[in-house]
Amino acid sequence: MKMQPNGRIVGRSAIVTGGARGIGAAICEQFCAEDGLVFIADNAKAAGEELAARLSSQGGSAQFLHLDVTDEDSWCAAIAKVSLENGRIDILVNNAGIALGTLPIVERDVQDWDRVMSVNARSVFLGVKHVVPVMIQGGGGAIVNMSSAAALGQWQNMEAAYAASKAAVHVFTKATGTQYAEQGVRCNTVHPGPIETEMMREVLGENPEVLAHRLVRVPMGRLGKPDEVAAAVLFLASDEASYITAAQLSVDGGAVAQ
Ligand code: NAD
């Protein structure tokens, strides 16, 4: 799918966590195409720098920003750097996340639970906590948090710790959107179904039968593409969504409604 860029976020400063690959990289690419000033915030330095170089060579404004989303000091340093360079932060996409292979709850160890909660949920709290004051100072902003179809249904087949972390993101977004609406900060979630990325390949493995079984639960009968999720994020980050906050947008081929 190729979008026709038309400058929907011209000159806006955007931090995209987990921007080095997968869905995050597609978001960075679409933001650049729409003339945003993009910070690829990731702990994968080589991939992030490589993407920044590619997007810059295509005429975009992109730079790598080192960030471990689980670490508060890392957030403070990253935000200070963006504020120093751009004076403001207009858009935050909390996209970084990890998945776990499916295990029965009684076999899941507590370290895995803590790790997935830390990367997927604590990260979103830290980002919102430290970016919202900067946005308010600049007159407002837009936050898009990456949840998942796993937060909304089909739980019998979902990895429980992962689903719980994404449900935390979903509810936290409602609280953020309502608490800061008057100060001009919008906050919404995107809920992808199975999307063709490294994460999905790692979870599904190489077995075509596992993929086929997964697709039975997707009415459109196919995996989604990172660009299809990025388009939803771009919409929510842009002024086209100016009256939308504390809302949820599924990009799942109909999976949760099935
Ligand atoms: P991915 O594994 O391809 O990319 C994740 C990115 O996050 C990587 O660049 C990684 O380096 C970064 N990251 C991981 N831990 C980090 C940390 N501590 N600090 C900074 N960056 C970190 O994953 P993806 O498939 O592109 O998924 C992106 C988001 O979408 C995740 O939140 C995921 O849970 C969500 N999601 C994905 C799918 C899917 O099917 N792929 C479905 C629903 C939701």
Side-chain angles (χ1 to χ4, degrees):
M1 184 186 62
K2 270 285 156 241
M3 307 291 299
Q4 284 304 318
N6 62 5
R8 286 189 282 172
I9 53 167
V10 181
R12 302 220 180 138
S13 158
I15 297 176
V16 180
T17 75
R21 74 174 198 183
I23 294 169
I27 296 167
C28 291
E29 187 153 3
Q30 288 194 21
F31 278 14
C32 276
E34 299 288 338
D35 295 329
L37 313 175
V38 179
F39 290 86
I40 302 165
D42 209 295
N43 61 357
K45 189 168 185 282
E49 285 181 342
E50 197 177 309
L51 178 65
R54 179 167 68 78
L55 295 178
S56 301
S57 75
Q58 292 166 356
S61 169
Q63 62 174 286
F64 176 67
L65 181 69
H66 182 266
L67 175 67
D68 174 355
V69 292
T70 66
D71 183 79
E72 188 161 22
D73 291 342
S74 184
W75 269 106
C76 293
I79 289 164
K81 188 165 187 282
V82 177
S83 300
L84 191 69
E85 286 194 22
N86 279 2
R88 51 188 298 123
I89 300 171
D90 302 295
I91 297 166
L92 169 66
V93 182
N94 281 309
N95 163 77
I98 54 169
L100 302 170
T102 306
L103 264 190
I105 292 166
V106 296
E107 290 172 28
R108 173 66 65 207
D109 67 39
V110 72
Q111 288 82 6
D112 281 346
W113 171 274
D114 288 345
R115 194 164 60 91
V116 79
M117 282 293 168
S118 182
V119 180
N120 293 2
R122 171 188 160 100
S123 59
V124 176
F125 158 68
L126 288 174
V128 166
K129 175 179 164 63
H130 290 288
V131 167
V132 161
V134 183
M135 285 182 166
I136 291 174
Q137 209 173 25
I143 300 171
V144 183
N145 293 331
M146 196 59 70
S147 182
S148 169
L152 302 177
Q154 298 193 333
W155 292 299
Q156 192 179 359
N157 302 295
M158 290 290 177
E159 208 306 302
Y162 179 79
S165 73
K166 292 299 186 180
V169 172
H170 178 48
V171 175
F172 182 74
T173 300
K174 306 281 181 202
T176 307
T178 50
Q179 283 183 27
Y180 295 102
E182 278 188 12
Q183 285 108 312
V185 177
R186 297 186 297 103
C187 187
N188 295 291
T189 40
V190 169
H191 298 253
I195 309 297
E196 244 180 88
T197 66
E198 284 305 309
M199 174 188 280
M200 185 44 63
R201 279 185 277 278
E202 284 159 17
V203 169
L204 291 180
E206 298 300 321
N207 186 345
E209 278 176 30
V210 177
L211 173 62
H213 181 68
R214 181 70 187 88
L215 291 182
V216 167
R217 290 181 272 129
V218 180
M220 282 191 177
R222 66 170 176 87
L223 295 176
K225 306 225 175 291
D227 259 351
E228 293 176 306
V229 181
V233 173
L234 175 62
F235 164 68
L236 290 171
S238 76
D239 289 344
E240 288 164 23
S242 54
Y243 196 51
I244 301 178
T245 198
Q248 64 206 55
L249 181 49
S250 289
V251 185
D252 67 355
V256 168
Q258 194 182 31

